[in-house]
Amino acid sequence: MVTGTDRPARVGLTVTRKVGNSVVRNRCKRLLREAVRQHWRLLPTGMDVVLHARYGLATAQAREVEREIARMLPKAAQRLS
């Protein structure tokens, strides 16, 4: 969702209990936050993005998550702009 160009991009994360217990959910959030932090420049200003974690993220490696985020963020920016 593009809401305005005068403010920085925002990213929201959702990780439900279906993904795992609190330890697993927190690990998933840490993986997503770090991947987004490393690829923040791919998001245009004023964009809101919500990432919904799926069950497979619980067993994913950090490199895999980072690769997927790097692939997905430009696609989302292109579709919403």
Side-chain angles (χ1 to χ4, degrees):
M1 168 186 207
V2 179
T3 58
T5 59
D6 59 340
R7 62 166 186 73
R10 299 185 297 182
V11 176
L13 304 173
T14 63
V15 184
T16 64
R17 285 187 287 176
K18 290 180 182 179
V19 173
N21 63 22
S22 62
V23 174
V24 173
R25 291 193 310 268
N26 286 329
R27 179 181 181 275
C28 291
K29 287 187 270 189
R30 284 193 307 271
L31 285 172
L32 287 172
R33 270 194 233 104
E34 180 61 18
V36 169
R37 185 189 69 78
Q38 290 183 2
H39 297 287
W40 191 258
R41 68 190 183 291
L42 299 175
L43 288 172
T45 58
M47 180 173 280
D48 292 343
V49 177
V50 177
L51 300 174
H52 181 74
R54 298 288 178 121
Y55 182 74
L57 182 61
T59 58
Q61 297 294 318
R63 286 187 190 132
E64 295 174 74
V65 175
E66 183 182 336
R67 192 177 314 120
E68 281 299 309
I69 293 294
R71 184 183 67 80
M72 290 169 46
L73 288 181
K75 282 185 179 183
Q78 183 180 13
R79 285 184 180 180
L80 293 174
S81 60

